[in-house]
Short mmCIF file of all heavy atoms in Angstrom, two decimals:
data_model
loop_
_atom_site.label_atom_id
_atom_site.label_comp_id
_atom_site.label_asym_id
_atom_site.label_seq_id
_atom_site.Cartn_x
_atom_site.Cartn_y
_atom_site.Cartn_z
N TYR A 91 -10.38 37.31 -2.62
CA TYR A 91 -9.34 36.73 -3.45
C TYR A 91 -8.82 35.42 -2.88
O TYR A 91 -8.54 34.47 -3.60
CB TYR A 91 -8.19 37.73 -3.64
CG TYR A 91 -8.59 38.87 -4.53
CD1 TYR A 91 -8.79 40.14 -4.02
CD2 TYR A 91 -8.82 38.67 -5.90
CE1 TYR A 91 -9.19 41.20 -4.83
CE2 TYR A 91 -9.20 39.71 -6.72
CZ TYR A 91 -9.39 40.97 -6.18
OH TYR A 91 -9.78 42.01 -7.00
N ARG A 92 -8.73 35.35 -1.56
CA ARG A 92 -8.28 34.12 -0.91
C ARG A 92 -9.26 32.99 -1.17
O ARG A 92 -8.88 31.87 -1.51
CB ARG A 92 -8.12 34.36 0.60
CG ARG A 92 -7.71 33.13 1.39
CD ARG A 92 -7.62 33.42 2.88
NE ARG A 92 -8.79 34.06 3.44
CZ ARG A 92 -9.89 33.43 3.85
NH1 ARG A 92 -9.98 32.13 3.74
NH2 ARG A 92 -10.89 34.11 4.36
N LYS A 93 -10.55 33.29 -1.04
CA LYS A 93 -11.58 32.27 -1.28
C LYS A 93 -11.64 31.86 -2.75
O LYS A 93 -11.82 30.69 -3.06
CB LYS A 93 -12.94 32.78 -0.80
CG LYS A 93 -13.04 32.85 0.70
CD LYS A 93 -14.39 33.38 1.15
CE LYS A 93 -14.46 33.48 2.65
NZ LYS A 93 -15.77 33.96 3.11
N GLU A 94 -11.49 32.81 -3.65
CA GLU A 94 -11.49 32.48 -5.07
C GLU A 94 -10.32 31.58 -5.43
O GLU A 94 -10.47 30.64 -6.20
CB GLU A 94 -11.43 33.76 -5.92
CG GLU A 94 -12.73 34.52 -5.95
CD GLU A 94 -12.63 35.84 -6.72
OE1 GLU A 94 -11.56 36.10 -7.32
OE2 GLU A 94 -13.62 36.59 -6.71
N LYS A 95 -9.17 31.84 -4.84
CA LYS A 95 -8.00 31.01 -5.09
C LYS A 95 -8.24 29.59 -4.56
O LYS A 95 -7.91 28.60 -5.22
CB LYS A 95 -6.75 31.61 -4.45
CG LYS A 95 -5.50 30.84 -4.74
CD LYS A 95 -4.28 31.47 -4.12
CE LYS A 95 -3.06 30.62 -4.40
NZ LYS A 95 -1.88 31.11 -3.73
N ALA A 96 -8.82 29.49 -3.36
CA ALA A 96 -9.10 28.17 -2.77
C ALA A 96 -10.09 27.41 -3.64
O ALA A 96 -9.93 26.20 -3.86
CB ALA A 96 -9.64 28.34 -1.35
N ARG A 97 -11.09 28.10 -4.16
CA ARG A 97 -12.07 27.44 -5.05
C ARG A 97 -11.41 26.93 -6.31
O ARG A 97 -11.71 25.84 -6.79
CB ARG A 97 -13.19 28.42 -5.41
CG ARG A 97 -14.25 28.55 -4.37
CD ARG A 97 -15.45 29.34 -4.90
NE ARG A 97 -16.06 30.05 -3.80
CZ ARG A 97 -16.02 31.37 -3.63
NH1 ARG A 97 -15.40 32.14 -4.49
NH2 ARG A 97 -16.59 31.92 -2.58
N ALA A 98 -10.51 27.74 -6.87
CA ALA A 98 -9.81 27.34 -8.09
C ALA A 98 -8.95 26.11 -7.85
O ALA A 98 -8.90 25.20 -8.68
CB ALA A 98 -8.96 28.50 -8.60
N VAL A 99 -8.31 26.05 -6.70
CA VAL A 99 -7.47 24.89 -6.36
C VAL A 99 -8.34 23.64 -6.22
O VAL A 99 -8.01 22.57 -6.74
CB VAL A 99 -6.66 25.15 -5.07
CG1 VAL A 99 -6.01 23.89 -4.56
CG2 VAL A 99 -5.63 26.23 -5.32
N LYS A 100 -9.47 23.77 -5.54
CA LYS A 100 -10.38 22.63 -5.37
C LYS A 100 -10.94 22.17 -6.71
O LYS A 100 -11.07 20.97 -6.96
CB LYS A 100 -11.53 22.99 -4.43
CG LYS A 100 -11.12 23.05 -2.98
CD LYS A 100 -12.32 23.35 -2.10
CE LYS A 100 -11.94 23.44 -0.65
NZ LYS A 100 -13.11 23.70 0.22
N LYS A 101 -11.28 23.12 -7.57
CA LYS A 101 -11.82 22.77 -8.89
C LYS A 101 -10.78 22.03 -9.72
O LYS A 101 -11.10 21.04 -10.38
CB LYS A 101 -12.27 24.03 -9.61
CG LYS A 101 -12.72 23.85 -11.03
CD LYS A 101 -14.22 23.83 -11.13
CE LYS A 101 -14.68 23.85 -12.57
NZ LYS A 101 -14.84 22.53 -13.13
N ALA A 102 -9.54 22.48 -9.68
CA ALA A 102 -8.47 21.82 -10.43
C ALA A 102 -8.27 20.40 -9.92
O ALA A 102 -8.11 19.46 -10.71
CB ALA A 102 -7.19 22.62 -10.32
N ARG A 103 -8.31 20.23 -8.62
CA ARG A 103 -8.14 18.89 -8.04
C ARG A 103 -9.31 17.99 -8.44
O ARG A 103 -9.12 16.82 -8.78
CB ARG A 103 -8.06 18.99 -6.53
CG ARG A 103 -7.85 17.67 -5.84
CD ARG A 103 -7.66 17.84 -4.35
NE ARG A 103 -7.47 16.55 -3.74
CZ ARG A 103 -7.72 16.28 -2.48
NH1 ARG A 103 -8.16 17.23 -1.69
NH2 ARG A 103 -7.53 15.08 -1.99
N ALA A 104 -10.52 18.52 -8.41
CA ALA A 104 -11.70 17.74 -8.79
C ALA A 104 -11.62 17.33 -10.26
O ALA A 104 -11.97 16.20 -10.61
CB ALA A 104 -12.96 18.55 -8.53
N ASP A 105 -11.15 18.23 -11.10
CA ASP A 105 -11.01 17.90 -12.52
C ASP A 105 -9.98 16.79 -12.73
O ASP A 105 -10.19 15.88 -13.55
CB ASP A 105 -10.62 19.13 -13.33
CG ASP A 105 -11.75 20.15 -13.40
OD1 ASP A 105 -12.91 19.77 -13.16
OD2 ASP A 105 -11.45 21.33 -13.69
N ARG A 106 -8.87 16.86 -12.01
CA ARG A 106 -7.84 15.80 -12.12
C ARG A 106 -8.41 14.46 -11.66
O ARG A 106 -8.19 13.43 -12.29
CB ARG A 106 -6.61 16.15 -11.29
CG ARG A 106 -5.72 17.18 -11.91
CD ARG A 106 -4.37 17.25 -11.21
NE ARG A 106 -4.46 17.34 -9.76
CZ ARG A 106 -4.48 18.48 -9.07
NH1 ARG A 106 -4.41 19.63 -9.69
NH2 ARG A 106 -4.54 18.47 -7.75
N ASN A 107 -9.18 14.46 -10.56
CA ASN A 107 -9.77 13.22 -10.06
C ASN A 107 -10.82 12.68 -11.02
O ASN A 107 -10.93 11.47 -11.18
CB ASN A 107 -10.38 13.44 -8.68
CG ASN A 107 -9.34 13.53 -7.60
OD1 ASN A 107 -8.22 13.08 -7.78
ND2 ASN A 107 -9.71 14.11 -6.48
N ALA A 108 -11.57 13.56 -11.64
CA ALA A 108 -12.59 13.11 -12.59
C ALA A 108 -11.94 12.40 -13.77
O ALA A 108 -12.45 11.39 -14.25
CB ALA A 108 -13.41 14.29 -13.07
N VAL A 109 -10.80 12.90 -14.22
CA VAL A 109 -10.10 12.25 -15.32
C VAL A 109 -9.51 10.92 -14.86
O VAL A 109 -9.58 9.92 -15.57
CB VAL A 109 -8.99 13.18 -15.86
CG1 VAL A 109 -8.09 12.44 -16.83
CG2 VAL A 109 -9.61 14.39 -16.54
N ALA A 110 -8.97 10.88 -13.67
CA ALA A 110 -8.29 9.68 -13.18
C ALA A 110 -9.27 8.58 -12.78
O ALA A 110 -9.03 7.41 -13.07
CB ALA A 110 -7.40 10.04 -12.00
N PHE A 111 -10.35 8.93 -12.13
CA PHE A 111 -11.23 7.93 -11.53
C PHE A 111 -12.64 7.91 -12.09
O PHE A 111 -13.37 6.94 -11.91
CB PHE A 111 -11.35 8.15 -10.01
CG PHE A 111 -10.04 8.13 -9.30
CD1 PHE A 111 -9.51 9.29 -8.79
CD2 PHE A 111 -9.34 6.96 -9.16
CE1 PHE A 111 -8.29 9.28 -8.12
CE2 PHE A 111 -8.12 6.94 -8.51
CZ PHE A 111 -7.60 8.10 -7.99
N GLY A 112 -13.04 8.97 -12.72
CA GLY A 112 -14.43 9.13 -13.07
C GLY A 112 -14.86 8.36 -14.30
O GLY A 112 -14.14 8.26 -15.28
N ARG A 113 -16.03 7.79 -14.21
CA ARG A 113 -16.69 7.18 -15.36
C ARG A 113 -18.14 7.64 -15.31
O ARG A 113 -18.69 7.88 -14.25
CB ARG A 113 -16.66 5.66 -15.27
CG ARG A 113 -15.28 5.05 -15.43
CD ARG A 113 -15.36 3.56 -15.44
NE ARG A 113 -15.83 3.09 -14.13
CZ ARG A 113 -16.22 1.85 -13.89
NH1 ARG A 113 -16.23 0.96 -14.84
NH2 ARG A 113 -16.64 1.50 -12.70
N THR A 114 -18.74 7.72 -16.48
CA THR A 114 -20.13 8.14 -16.51
C THR A 114 -21.01 6.99 -16.02
O THR A 114 -20.58 5.84 -15.95
CB THR A 114 -20.56 8.53 -17.93
OG1 THR A 114 -20.48 7.38 -18.76
CG2 THR A 114 -19.70 9.65 -18.47
N LYS A 115 -22.22 7.32 -15.70
CA LYS A 115 -23.16 6.31 -15.23
C LYS A 115 -23.39 5.25 -16.31
O LYS A 115 -23.49 4.06 -16.03
CB LYS A 115 -24.48 6.97 -14.83
CG LYS A 115 -25.46 6.05 -14.16
CD LYS A 115 -26.67 6.82 -13.65
CE LYS A 115 -27.59 5.90 -12.88
NZ LYS A 115 -28.72 6.63 -12.31
N ALA A 116 -23.45 5.69 -17.55
CA ALA A 116 -23.65 4.76 -18.66
C ALA A 116 -22.48 3.79 -18.79
O ALA A 116 -22.68 2.59 -19.03
CB ALA A 116 -23.84 5.54 -19.96
N GLU A 117 -21.26 4.29 -18.63
CA GLU A 117 -20.09 3.41 -18.71
C GLU A 117 -20.10 2.38 -17.58
O GLU A 117 -19.79 1.21 -17.80
CB GLU A 117 -18.81 4.24 -18.63
CG GLU A 117 -18.53 5.07 -19.86
CD GLU A 117 -17.39 6.03 -19.68
OE1 GLU A 117 -17.07 6.39 -18.52
OE2 GLU A 117 -16.79 6.43 -20.69
N LYS A 118 -20.48 2.80 -16.39
CA LYS A 118 -20.56 1.87 -15.27
C LYS A 118 -21.61 0.80 -15.54
O LYS A 118 -21.40 -0.38 -15.24
CB LYS A 118 -20.91 2.62 -13.98
CG LYS A 118 -19.82 3.51 -13.47
CD LYS A 118 -20.28 4.26 -12.23
CE LYS A 118 -19.28 5.28 -11.80
NZ LYS A 118 -19.74 6.06 -10.65
N GLU A 119 -22.74 1.19 -16.11
CA GLU A 119 -23.82 0.25 -16.40
C GLU A 119 -23.38 -0.76 -17.45
O GLU A 119 -23.68 -1.96 -17.34
CB GLU A 119 -25.06 1.01 -16.87
CG GLU A 119 -26.29 0.15 -17.04
CD GLU A 119 -26.81 -0.42 -15.72
OE1 GLU A 119 -26.57 0.18 -14.66
OE2 GLU A 119 -27.46 -1.48 -15.78
N VAL A 120 -22.66 -0.32 -18.48
CA VAL A 120 -22.18 -1.22 -19.53
C VAL A 120 -21.24 -2.26 -18.93
O VAL A 120 -21.37 -3.46 -19.21
CB VAL A 120 -21.47 -0.42 -20.65
CG1 VAL A 120 -20.69 -1.34 -21.57
CG2 VAL A 120 -22.48 0.38 -21.45
N VAL A 121 -20.33 -1.84 -18.08
CA VAL A 121 -19.39 -2.77 -17.45
C VAL A 121 -20.14 -3.76 -16.57
O VAL A 121 -19.85 -4.96 -16.58
CB VAL A 121 -18.32 -2.00 -16.64
CG1 VAL A 121 -17.49 -2.93 -15.79
CG2 VAL A 121 -17.44 -1.20 -17.58
N LYS A 122 -21.12 -3.28 -15.83
CA LYS A 122 -21.90 -4.14 -14.96
C LYS A 122 -22.64 -5.21 -15.76
O LYS A 122 -22.63 -6.40 -15.40
CB LYS A 122 -22.90 -3.29 -14.17
CG LYS A 122 -23.73 -4.04 -13.16
CD LYS A 122 -24.64 -3.05 -12.43
CE LYS A 122 -25.61 -3.76 -11.54
NZ LYS A 122 -26.53 -2.81 -10.89
N LEU A 123 -23.24 -4.81 -16.88
CA LEU A 123 -23.95 -5.77 -17.72
C LEU A 123 -23.00 -6.76 -18.36
O LEU A 123 -23.33 -7.95 -18.49
CB LEU A 123 -24.76 -5.02 -18.79
CG LEU A 123 -25.94 -4.20 -18.27
CD1 LEU A 123 -26.56 -3.40 -19.41
CD2 LEU A 123 -26.97 -5.10 -17.62
N GLN A 124 -21.83 -6.33 -18.78
CA GLN A 124 -20.84 -7.23 -19.36
C GLN A 124 -20.39 -8.27 -18.34
O GLN A 124 -20.25 -9.45 -18.66
CB GLN A 124 -19.63 -6.46 -19.87
CG GLN A 124 -19.89 -5.68 -21.13
CD GLN A 124 -18.70 -4.80 -21.52
OE1 GLN A 124 -17.82 -4.52 -20.71
NE2 GLN A 124 -18.70 -4.35 -22.77
N GLN A 125 -20.18 -7.85 -17.10
CA GLN A 125 -19.76 -8.78 -16.06
C GLN A 125 -20.86 -9.80 -15.77
O GLN A 125 -20.57 -10.98 -15.58
CB GLN A 125 -19.39 -8.02 -14.79
CG GLN A 125 -18.10 -7.25 -14.90
CD GLN A 125 -17.82 -6.39 -13.69
OE1 GLN A 125 -18.70 -6.14 -12.87
NE2 GLN A 125 -16.59 -5.91 -13.58
N LYS A 126 -22.11 -9.35 -15.75
CA LYS A 126 -23.22 -10.28 -15.54
C LYS A 126 -23.29 -11.32 -16.65
O LYS A 126 -23.48 -12.51 -16.40
CB LYS A 126 -24.55 -9.52 -15.48
CG LYS A 126 -24.85 -8.89 -14.16
CD LYS A 126 -26.25 -8.28 -14.18
CE LYS A 126 -26.62 -7.71 -12.86
NZ LYS A 126 -27.97 -7.13 -12.87
N LYS A 127 -23.11 -10.87 -17.90
CA LYS A 127 -23.17 -11.79 -19.04
C LYS A 127 -22.02 -12.79 -18.97
O LYS A 127 -22.22 -13.98 -19.21
CB LYS A 127 -23.11 -11.02 -20.35
CG LYS A 127 -23.23 -11.92 -21.57
CD LYS A 127 -23.15 -11.14 -22.85
CE LYS A 127 -23.35 -11.97 -24.08
NZ LYS A 127 -22.70 -13.24 -24.13
N GLN A 128 -20.82 -12.33 -18.64
CA GLN A 128 -19.68 -13.23 -18.54
C GLN A 128 -19.90 -14.27 -17.45
O GLN A 128 -19.61 -15.46 -17.64
CB GLN A 128 -18.40 -12.44 -18.25
CG GLN A 128 -17.91 -11.63 -19.42
CD GLN A 128 -16.73 -10.74 -19.05
OE1 GLN A 128 -16.39 -10.59 -17.88
NE2 GLN A 128 -16.13 -10.13 -20.07
N LYS A 129 -20.45 -13.86 -16.32
CA LYS A 129 -20.72 -14.79 -15.23
C LYS A 129 -21.78 -15.80 -15.64
O LYS A 129 -21.63 -17.01 -15.40
CB LYS A 129 -21.18 -14.02 -13.99
CG LYS A 129 -21.40 -14.89 -12.77
CD LYS A 129 -21.78 -14.05 -11.57
CE LYS A 129 -22.03 -14.95 -10.38
NZ LYS A 129 -22.44 -14.20 -9.20
N ARG A 130 -22.82 -15.34 -16.29
CA ARG A 130 -23.89 -16.22 -16.74
C ARG A 130 -23.37 -17.23 -17.77
O ARG A 130 -23.67 -18.42 -17.70
CB ARG A 130 -25.02 -15.38 -17.34
CG ARG A 130 -26.27 -16.16 -17.71
CD ARG A 130 -27.38 -15.26 -18.22
NE ARG A 130 -26.98 -14.59 -19.45
CZ ARG A 130 -26.90 -13.27 -19.61
NH1 ARG A 130 -27.18 -12.46 -18.62
NH2 ARG A 130 -26.54 -12.76 -20.77
N ASP A 131 -22.55 -16.76 -18.71
CA ASP A 131 -21.98 -17.65 -19.72
C ASP A 131 -21.08 -18.70 -19.09
O ASP A 131 -21.09 -19.87 -19.48
CB ASP A 131 -21.20 -16.86 -20.77
CG ASP A 131 -22.10 -16.01 -21.66
OD1 ASP A 131 -23.34 -16.24 -21.64
OD2 ASP A 131 -21.57 -15.12 -22.35
N LEU A 132 -20.29 -18.31 -18.10
CA LEU A 132 -19.41 -19.24 -17.43
C LEU A 132 -20.20 -20.31 -16.68
O LEU A 132 -19.87 -21.50 -16.73
CB LEU A 132 -18.49 -18.49 -16.47
CG LEU A 132 -17.46 -19.33 -15.71
CD1 LEU A 132 -16.48 -19.96 -16.71
CD2 LEU A 132 -16.71 -18.50 -14.69
N GLU A 133 -21.26 -19.89 -16.01
CA GLU A 133 -22.10 -20.84 -15.27
C GLU A 133 -22.79 -21.80 -16.23
O GLU A 133 -23.00 -22.97 -15.89
CB GLU A 133 -23.12 -20.10 -14.42
CG GLU A 133 -22.52 -19.39 -13.23
CD GLU A 133 -23.51 -18.54 -12.46
OE1 GLU A 133 -24.68 -18.43 -12.90
OE2 GLU A 133 -23.11 -17.98 -11.42
N ASN A 134 -23.14 -21.37 -17.41
CA ASN A 134 -23.81 -22.23 -18.37
C ASN A 134 -22.87 -23.26 -18.98
O ASN A 134 -23.31 -24.28 -19.51
CB ASN A 134 -24.44 -21.41 -19.49
CG ASN A 134 -25.66 -20.66 -19.03
OD1 ASN A 134 -26.28 -21.04 -18.05
ND2 ASN A 134 -25.97 -19.57 -19.71
N HIS A 135 -21.56 -23.04 -18.89
CA HIS A 135 -20.60 -23.97 -19.45
C HIS A 135 -20.10 -25.00 -18.46
O HIS A 135 -19.28 -25.84 -18.77
CB HIS A 135 -19.39 -23.21 -20.05
CG HIS A 135 -19.71 -22.57 -21.34
ND1 HIS A 135 -20.14 -21.27 -21.44
CD2 HIS A 135 -19.69 -23.05 -22.61
CE1 HIS A 135 -20.35 -20.97 -22.69
NE2 HIS A 135 -20.09 -22.03 -23.44
N GLU A 136 -20.60 -24.95 -17.22
CA GLU A 136 -20.19 -25.93 -16.22
C GLU A 136 -20.78 -27.29 -16.54
O GLU A 136 -21.88 -27.41 -17.09
CB GLU A 136 -20.64 -25.49 -14.83
CG GLU A 136 -19.91 -24.28 -14.31
CD GLU A 136 -20.40 -23.86 -12.93
OE1 GLU A 136 -21.36 -24.46 -12.41
OE2 GLU A 136 -19.80 -22.93 -12.39
N LEU A 137 -20.03 -28.31 -16.21
CA LEU A 137 -20.50 -29.67 -16.44
C LEU A 137 -21.38 -30.12 -15.29
O LEU A 137 -21.07 -29.88 -14.12
CB LEU A 137 -19.30 -30.63 -16.57
CG LEU A 137 -18.40 -30.41 -17.76
CD1 LEU A 137 -17.21 -31.36 -17.69
CD2 LEU A 137 -19.15 -30.63 -19.06
N ASP A 138 -22.48 -30.76 -15.60
CA ASP A 138 -23.37 -31.30 -14.58
C ASP A 138 -22.91 -32.72 -14.25
O ASP A 138 -22.56 -33.49 -15.12
CB ASP A 138 -24.81 -31.33 -15.08
CG ASP A 138 -25.36 -29.95 -15.29
OD1 ASP A 138 -24.94 -29.04 -14.55
OD2 ASP A 138 -26.21 -29.77 -16.18
#
């Protein structure tokens, strides 16, 4: 019972952290690609 309670506490904490900090791999990839595009667009608008 002690171990089951400890597991439940850890699971609840992990769930809270997943909501607060977690993003799926696909979401991370989308953000990464958007940042690359923004950087590329900015560099293309520089004056020579």
Side-chain angles (χ1 to χ4, degrees):
Y91 289 109
R92 177 182 51 84
K93 289 179 182 182
E94 285 176 6
K95 183 179 178 186
R97 279 190 211 109
V99 169
K100 285 183 182 181
K101 174 101 171 90
R103 182 175 180 204
D105 291 341
R106 283 194 310 268
N107 285 340
V109 170
F111 303 109
R113 292 184 295 168
T114 64
K115 188 173 184 177
E117 290 171 337
K118 290 177 187 177
E119 187 67 25
V120 167
V121 170
K122 183 178 172 183
L123 292 174
Q124 287 174 342
Q125 289 174 345
K126 279 185 177 181
K127 183 181 184 318
Q128 288 173 351
K129 184 177 179 182
R130 187 177 63 241
D131 291 346
L132 182 63
E133 289 174 355
N134 288 337
H135 285 93
E136 291 180 356
L137 295 176
D138 293 329

